Amino acid sequence: MPRSVGRSVRRKDGDDKVTGRALYIDDLTFPGMLHGMTVRATIPCGRIDRVRPAFDTTGFVLVDRHDIPGRNVVAGIMDDQPCLAVHEVRHAAEPIMLVAHEERDALARVHVDIDYTPATPVFEPRWSSECFKSLVIEKGRLDAGFAEAYTVVEGEYRTGHQEQLYLETNGVIAVPEGGGMTVYGSLQCPHYVHRALVMALGLQAGQVRVVQAETGGGFGGKEEYPSILACHAALLARKAGRPVKMIYDRAEDMWATTKRHPSIVRHRTGVTREGRITAMDIDLVLDGGAYCTLSPVVLSRASIHASGPYRCDHIRIRGRAMMTNTPPNGAFRGFGAPQSQFATEVHMDRIAETLGIDPVAVREQNALRPGDTTATGQVLGEDASAVEVLQAAVRKSKYHEKRARWRGTGKGIGLSLFFHGSGFTGSGEVTLASKASVELTAGGVRVLVSSTEIGQGTRTMHAQIVADALGIPYEVVETAAVDTAVVPDSGPTVASRTCMVVGRLLQRAAGDLKARLGRLSPAAYFAAHGPLVVTAEYEPPPGAAWDEQAYRGDAYGSYGWGCHVAEIDVRPDTWAVQPVRMTAVAEIGRAIHPMMATGQIEGGTAQGVAWALLEEVVMRDGAMANHTLTNYLIPTAADTPRIDTVILERPYAHGPFGAKGVGEMPIDGPAPAIVNALRHAGYDVRAIPATPERVMKAGRL
Ligand code: MOS
């Protein structure tokens, strides 16, 4: 039996997608279906005095907050966001009313007058009086660390919003069925949507069913947002007694949905004359937008990664996620780690410059190694590969040779070293208690998980793991459609956990199934005994411990390690920065499917380069002024540099076949590598996106 793990087998979802057979949410239709839309606020902050439809409502279904049978809340971490505004408007895209009609075009006639008493909005997170979450991570004693220092390097670094810009916008269809509700949608996390519907509709869990349609990308942007959209469609469908489809066009999707949290990070770092870090004092502020959403977990991951992949005995990291009057920010690939490590890695080059030490040498000296402890006190295992990825990237890119040769030419080369924890933070995986099942069928085996295929290769990768764990051909392993009425809750499809955590559950379930089969083949067992389902439930790695109060312990099961090198060209007349080549080295434990893993690294790198140079959300009065693709720029092929990818494998004992996560990590590194390349080219940039205007204004070095 040829093993499938480690081979780039044919994708499970490939044929249907390239032939057009795959059905996305807008391809689906139901008898009697209406089209729904959202009436939104027009001011960022204030009190609603009166809402009055100012159009002929004949033939329309209207829903306002009085039509909500359950709690008027989008289930989340804080349950602070209403499905429909009550008296208060907190952001300019706040949903106020819902409208549906048989004809999609009729929705253009909808006009609602809203009277407000405006209040003063807050757009600067540091001035906000409302904090969604704050935390402190402390290791050692800062004063002792600074006492050892030869000098202290300080700096402040900023990153902007970023739009996930999945190919397919957010969309759902709600179908009222037998007193309950079924929602189909473009989704990352069907069980989150399920929970939200139960709460808002006031139904029993068994009366709500959520089914994922084929989904055109997520990047975190379909992690939480579909919960509010599904509630809206379901409220309309309930009132109409008919199915309701709600699909955002690109402008509404950009205007209203979550984005990456902007960040402001300040570093004070004590270093010896030789470049050893003695103390790290880090202050991190995230702009949460108007409601809490996932800000606490984004802050948590940002903070834990804020000291970067470096050893230091004396660390203090203070993090805050603040409320502002813009649409809520939320999950986006990396969950805050790209923001915090941007600051760390730009700061590292400034430390190197201050001391007159080579940027590689300062990183090599301080890099975390097996047996070292992180900021939370986690002791790293043998798969701590910071030094290896750094050396591999430096070698592959010929960093030193180019750095010497390019001085004063307008070209620049810069690097970044980073790490990324796989899976939920702290005790998150224990709380989730995820389950995954394998089912014996007449023709082979079926995978039952709630992990969604959103383009990243879930179905393929899970089938590979199950095939090899059972010793059966990859081709006979099927994956069930994600339907909350059919699959167990394997947790959300987020946080680089789908391979390492859910894949491991499947490996264990398949191992148990294999033991049950004994000497029989799957087909022979099925013929003799009929169907069989085997389920595995999450168990933490032995000895793992996390103290949520003190923020200490094993923050993640394991970490991936990465190093990026950016090569750029700065146009002396326009200050435009052309990224010429990226070298991306990633240590991910084991590449289950090398081609898809490479695709994740290339995609994350391209998205990170765009965050660094192109993607600029312009907020005007608390709303995105450039919410179209004509002026919110994402990279075309011509803007995307050549990417040289190197995958290193140091197996993690508790990952499936040694695998760790790969989805998020590649977006941690590109932005600081590019800004460090700008520094090499002579520009002192501390905020991204590094648009030509910013580069022009940056101090010359
Ligand atoms: Mo996410 S930011 O979808 O883990």
Side-chain angles (χ1 to χ4, degrees), residues 187-194 210 222-224 227 450 452 491-494:
L187 310 174
Q188 261 183 264
C189 308
H191 285 87
Y192 282 177
V193 176
H194 186 273
V210 180
K222 292 172 186 167
E223 178 167 340
E224 59 200 315
S227 295
S450 66
T452 49
T493 304
V494 304

Side-chain angles (χ1 to χ4, degrees), residues 580-602:
V580 177
R581 181 198 297 243
M582 297 291 295
T583 302
V585 178
E587 194 282 294
I588 56 172
R590 179 79 189 269
I592 301 291
H593 190 293
M595 186 189 286
M596 292 195 313
T598 303
Q600 286 294 317
I601 296 166
E602 290 176 350

Side-chain angles (χ1 to χ4, degrees), residues 188 219-221 223 331-335 493-496 664:
Q188 261 183 264
F219 307 111
E223 178 167 340
F332 191 151
R333 195 177 204 166
F335 257 142
T493 304
V494 304
S496 303
E664 297 174 299

